[in-house]
Amino acid sequence: DAGITQSPRHKVTETGTPVTLRCHQTENHRYMYWYRQDPGHGLRLIHYSYGVKDTDKGEVSDGYSVSRSKTEDFLLTLESATSSQTSVYFCAISAPDRGQYFGPGTRLTVT
Amino acid sequence: AQTVTQSQPEMSVQEAETVTLSCTYDTSESDYYLFWYKQPPSRQMILVIRQEAYKQQNATENRFSVNFQKAAKSFSLKISDSQLGDAAMYFCAYRSPYRNQFYFGTGTSLTVIP
């Protein structure tokens, strides 16, 4: 298994509170991604990073921000959580000329 | 942006039989990769098979094989000798050479009937 972890694995939070999800890799890969998975939508890209301090938006980036200050960590922040952000969040890394490898996912519930 | 379409939300197959899952994509790029991922109830995303666009030969991994039709932009997954452990959600994915971005289909839920 690729060395990729996510924390926390489960979180319940209230509307309006900030939330940060962490993705950590031990593979030293350049590319890292955050997705959300919702029924009927598959995986949708929130943000991705193509290097330290290099990030860009995906298709569902509104309400989310990211930071990558070192190769191994990619943080996803919900500045003010809303119920529509209740979802399962996956972090992924991409090896050159290969597919993506995913973390175990974080189930976030916003009440 | 590229699009990936999986037109079969659900499929079922008898144990030991063969099933084919469909995927089509839309792109104007020439250098890309295609993938199939499996997501069992554990929720873990597992890479099943990959195909480089420049290769004409269809990829094979044990009981899993693909039918890659580049001109038709079609990338189907064939599972032979289906097993109960194959029951899962299957996602087709496209990898763009631009910043290594990935695009996923909405998935096909596969049920294996004993």
Side-chain angles (χ1 to χ4, degrees):
Chain A
D1 291 343
I4 178 168
T5 58
Q6 293 182 230
S7 60
R9 295 291 313 278
H10 302 271
K11 186 169 182 67
V12 179
T13 191
E14 294 184 350
T15 298
T17 59
V19 176
T20 295
L21 307 183
R22 180 180 183 245
C23 178
H24 179 79
Q25 62 149 328
T26 59
E27 307 295 317
N28 201 36
H29 288 314
R30 176 183 175 190
Y31 294 95
M32 298 185 75
Y33 310 77
W34 277 107
Y35 294 90
R36 60 178 289 173
Q37 185 177 25
D38 305 288
H41 291 279
L43 285 160
R44 293 183 292 174
L45 181 65
I46 304 171
H47 282 279
Y48 67 100
S49 171
Y50 49 97
V52 174
K53 298 193 189 310
D54 292 323
T55 65
D56 205 350
K57 297 177 180 179
E59 64 175 306
V60 290
S61 61
D62 288 349
Y64 302 94
S65 62
V66 291
S67 66
R68 191 169 179 200
S69 58
K70 46 186 178 178
T71 299
E72 58 265 36
D73 289 326
F74 192 32
L75 303 180
L76 176 71
T77 297
L78 290 64
E79 302 292 345
S80 178
T82 67
S83 58
S84 65
Q85 294 176 312
T86 292
S87 187
V88 178
Y89 291 86
F90 284 96
C91 177
I93 59 176
S94 177
D97 296 330
R98 299 179 69 182
Q100 288 183 316
Y101 295 91
F102 288 81
T106 295
R107 181 175 291 280
L108 176 67
T109 302
V110 183
T111 61
Chain B
Q2 328 309 321
T3 58
V4 178
T5 302
Q6 293 179 250
S7 59
Q8 307 154 314
E10 298 177 345
M11 294 280 286
S12 62
V13 61
Q14 291 286 144
E15 193 175 6
E17 297 295 310
T18 295
V19 65
T20 299
L21 309 183
S22 300
C23 173
T24 59
Y25 59 95
D26 186 28
T27 185
S28 57
E29 297 172 331
S30 58
D31 181 21
Y32 56 87
Y33 285 70
L34 296 164
F35 304 87
W36 278 97
Y37 286 87
K38 169 185 177 181
Q39 187 180 41
S42 67
R43 212 170 60 198
Q44 181 66 48
M45 293 286 287
I46 302 165
L47 177 62
V48 174
I49 199 166
R50 71 168 189 163
Q51 175 78 44
E52 295 92 330
Y54 62 87
K55 287 188 178 180
Q56 292 186 340
Q57 185 174 6
N58 290 324
T60 300
E61 290 286 344
N62 301 313
R63 298 183 295 106
F64 298 87
S65 61
V66 298
N67 183 5
F68 174 46
Q69 302 290 327
K70 190 172 182 178
K73 296 179 182 174
S74 171
F75 182 61
S76 60
L77 175 69
K78 185 171 80 171
I79 306 174
S80 304
D81 185 26
S82 297
Q83 300 175 0
L84 295 177
D86 294 334
M89 183 73 81
Y90 286 82
F91 292 97
C92 178
Y94 170 100
R95 194 200 87 175
S96 169
Y98 177 69
R99 291 183 176 172
N100 227 34
Q101 288 194 65
F102 284 73
Y103 301 87
F104 286 81
T106 52
T108 296
S109 178
L110 179 66
T111 300
V112 180
I113 303 166

